[in-house]
Amino acid sequence: MKNYLAIDIGASSGRHIIGRVENGKIVLEEVYRFVNSQVSRDGHDCWDMEKLVESVKAGIDAALEKGPVESIGIDTWGVDFVLLDEKGELCCDTVAYRDARTKGADAEIESQVISFEDLYSRCGIQKAPFNTIYQLWALKKEHPEQLERAASFLMVPEYLNYRLTGNIVHEYTDSSTTSLLDAEKKDWDFDLIERLGFPKRIFGKLEMPGATVGEYRGVKVVLPAMHDTGSAYLAVPARDDRAVYLSSGTWSLLGVENEKPITTKEACRANFTNEGGAWGRYRYLKNIMGLWMIQSIRRELNGVSYVEGKGGEATEEALARLSDYEKGREYSFADLSMIARGQSCAVTVDVNDPRFLNPASMIGEVVKAAAESGKPPATVGELMQCVYLSLAECYASAIRNLSDITGKVYTSINIVGGGSQDKYLNALTAEATGLEVFAGPVEGTAIGNLIVQMIAGGEFADLAAARAAIVR
């Protein structure tokens, strides 16, 4: 019986999960978990890459103590990157996507290089202020010397693989989030890259999930769908082609799988994205702020800062507005769900408003946004009900847009990931959409990571066989 190791890293935590096939079923065992936090450096919010590498290696050590491992696969969030010089050393800090350095970058590119409509027709990627294209533009303005020094551009999970194996291998699904790929060709759009003034030499050959990177401690390192949503979508045990997929975590990624990209003007206006999937598929989806809002509120209630070295007055001011806030209480996600139930909610907010991307205080920003259109929440319960209802309404609106663009009538929603455990949000989603909701698997991203490894290892013949095992 072979063991496979999925390393699934999100914006706030990472986990090492061993998977194996027993009697036709996929069995999971979590062997390591760690916190992934940001640090403030030189005025920017950055990922602590050395700490991340140490955590990845510590988790592999823990897995190998359990017994032999057939292969290892790493997935993370998208868009963020590192630059390496000729010696293979970092040229710059790994600035996190929620950092404010990209403000105004989209407008500058649209006025100086290419309109967003033309960019979308080529790359098919949604407009979001944190897209890699905007990050690189901001870096070129602030530190052009770093781009000049760079020899290689790597997405975050590619860098982690490099630190394990010493090999630089680029993966398609995560690279598709850069907005620098030709959607049809599934390869870098070097004409666009040149027009943007980025050095073409740093963008290497792309490989598809299933390819081998190298070895670490004698164990083969394999490319899963390295973008976490790409892995999560593989784990959806959809019953038919009328199912909407919802990967629910820090972000909510709502959409479907397609064989071809949809880059029409209608799709552009609706801001749906065509991200690359395993085996050449496309994940056609809407990026929604998701449980980030709930996670941020919980951190504030519990007095925890998201970025090391930052926090303070904005949070204190926001908490003072909530009449039932209990200082010193440890609020769990289950607590917040229960507190929200049955509460009145005078207004909802647009969860996709950029104001919620990285506010000084999420509580304060939600209260302020609600006050602009009606009565603001005055208690923790009203605040949480506002966020819950706003998320469910956004899901319903996205599904209506999806149906209009694809011409399909959808009959169910398959929710995977940690957010699938929130029964209250699931119920509100069913009510808002009028669709049947299926919840799970919870560890959808890790399972999707594992099945690519398992197919490469001969456990399953293809994706259909793997998904049948997920259902079982």
Side-chain angles (χ1 to χ4, degrees):
M1 190 179 301
K2 299 177 182 177
N3 290 324
Y4 300 83
L5 178 61
I7 304 173
D8 172 31
I9 307 173
S12 58
S13 66
R15 59 211 60 79
H16 290 58
I17 295 178
I18 290 174
R20 65 183 70 90
V21 181
E22 295 181 6
N23 300 318
K25 297 180 181 180
I26 297 173
V27 178
L28 306 179
E29 178 186 2
E30 183 179 302
V31 295
Y32 193 78
R33 184 175 284 263
F34 60 92
V35 173
N36 181 29
S37 58
Q38 294 179 16
V39 294
S40 184
R41 289 178 180 159
D42 297 326
H44 293 296
D45 295 342
C46 302
W47 299 111
D48 189 339
M49 293 306 296
E50 284 305 312
K51 184 177 179 182
L52 203 51
V53 170
E54 290 171 6
S55 297
V56 166
K57 290 182 176 180
I60 294 173
D61 291 344
L64 291 176
E65 288 176 5
K66 296 276 186 177
V69 172
E70 182 72 13
S71 65
I72 298 167
I74 301 175
D75 67 77
T76 76
W77 65 97
V79 304
D80 287 344
F81 63 90
V82 304
L83 296 177
L84 302 183
D85 62 17
E86 290 286 356
K87 296 180 180 179
E89 298 176 353
L90 289 171
C91 296
C92 59
D93 288 325
T94 308
V95 179
Y97 64 88
R98 293 190 191 275
D99 185 80
R101 68 173 174 168
T102 58
K103 186 176 181 180
D106 58 338
E108 291 176 2
I109 288 176
E110 287 164 26
S111 65
Q112 299 175 35
V113 183
I114 186 172
S115 70
F116 179 69
E117 291 75 14
D118 288 343
L119 178 65
Y120 187 87
S121 69
R122 298 169 76 133
C123 301
I125 298 299
Q126 65 177 344
K127 187 183 215 180
F130 47 73
N131 285 352
T132 315
I133 186 174
Y134 304 132
Q135 292 197 47
L136 282 168
W137 183 267
L139 179 65
K140 187 179 75 165
K141 288 180 60 181
E142 185 179 15
H143 290 294
E145 75 282 357
Q146 294 178 357
L147 271 177
E148 291 170 7
R149 181 183 162 200
S152 300
F153 166 94
L154 285 77
M155 305 299 285
V156 166
E158 296 169 354
Y159 176 69
L160 297 174
N161 277 346
Y162 166 70
R163 291 293 300 272
L164 293 180
T165 68
N167 298 328
I168 294 176
V169 179
H170 305 280
E171 190 267 342
Y172 165 64
T173 70
D174 206 30
S175 297
S176 74
T177 68
T178 62
S179 202
L180 295 171
L181 263 60
D182 183 306
E184 289 280 357
K185 295 178 181 178
K186 304 182 180 72
D187 200 0
W188 298 112
D189 187 332
F190 283 110
D191 173 65
L192 173 64
I193 288 168
E194 192 169 35
R195 288 170 62 184
L196 289 162
F198 305 154
K200 293 194 295 183
R201 67 179 183 279
I202 67 176
F203 300 97
K205 179 186 175 185
L206 298 176
E207 299 289 346
M208 286 289 175
T212 298
V213 180
E215 289 190 355
Y216 176 71
R217 293 189 57 187
V219 181
K220 184 165 59 175
V221 177
V222 172
L223 296 179
M226 294 186 82
H227 186 213
D228 50 11
T229 313
S231 281
Y233 266 44
L234 292 175
V236 175
R239 289 149 182 79
D240 54 44
D241 64 356
R242 301 288 175 173
V244 173
Y245 298 5
L246 175 55
S247 175
S248 181
T250 299
W251 289 94
S252 291
L253 297 312
L254 185 150
V256 293
E257 284 184 316
N258 289 332
E259 293 182 0
K260 294 182 179 180
I262 302 175
T263 57
T264 61
K265 290 182 179 180
E266 186 182 13
C268 180
R269 284 193 298 271
N271 208 32
F272 272 74
T273 197
N274 296 269
E275 294 176 354
W279 299 288
R281 284 172 159 76
Y282 294 89
R283 287 173 285 115
Y284 186 64
L285 55 87
K286 182 81 169 179
N287 215 42
I288 298 168
M289 204 68 73
L291 301 188
W292 160 250
M293 297 179 74
I294 296 174
Q295 292 165 353
S296 298
I297 289 170
R298 177 174 177 261
R299 273 191 292 267
E300 288 187 65
L301 292 172
N302 293 339
V304 179
S305 174
Y306 178 61
V307 180
E308 292 180 13
K310 295 180 72 175
E313 295 180 5
T315 293
E316 290 298 324
E317 182 182 343
L319 293 174
R321 298 177 182 176
L322 304 177
S323 62
D324 61 343
Y325 167 61
E326 299 175 36
K327 188 172 183 179
R329 174 179 175 178
E330 184 71 22
Y331 289 85
S332 67
F333 289 115
D335 289 337
L336 297 181
S337 174
M338 289 302 297
I339 291 170
R341 293 167 192 251
Q343 294 292 319
S344 62
C345 178
V347 295
T348 55
V349 298
D350 176 8
V351 298
N352 281 334
D353 191 317
R355 70 197 300 170
F356 301 124
L357 184 63
N358 194 22
S361 166
M362 183 65 76
I363 294 173
E365 205 62 48
V366 172
V367 170
K368 189 191 302 182
E372 290 169 4
S373 54
K375 181 183 177 183
T379 67
V380 175
E382 290 176 2
L383 174 74
M384 295 311 304
Q385 182 74 328
C386 175
V387 172
Y388 269 114
L389 290 176
S390 298
L391 284 170
E393 284 187 8
C394 189
Y395 296 160
S397 175
I399 291 173
R400 289 193 294 271
N401 282 345
L402 181 66
S403 186
D404 289 341
I405 293 167
T406 63
K408 279 189 174 183
V409 175
Y410 296 99
T411 57
S412 65
I413 305 173
N414 284 245
I415 305 178
V416 298
S420 68
Q421 300 174 95
D422 195 322
K423 294 180 181 179
Y424 185 50
L425 182 55
N426 292 346
L428 291 176
T429 300
E431 184 177 341
T433 62
L435 303 180
E436 193 170 18
V437 169
F438 296 92
V442 173
E443 293 290 357
T445 304
I447 292 172
N449 179 324
L450 286 166
I451 62 175
V452 172
Q453 296 185 61
M454 289 173 172
I455 290 171
E459 301 285 346
F460 300 112
D462 52 27
L463 179 58
R467 278 180 166 160
I470 293 169
V471 173
R472 288 194 291 273

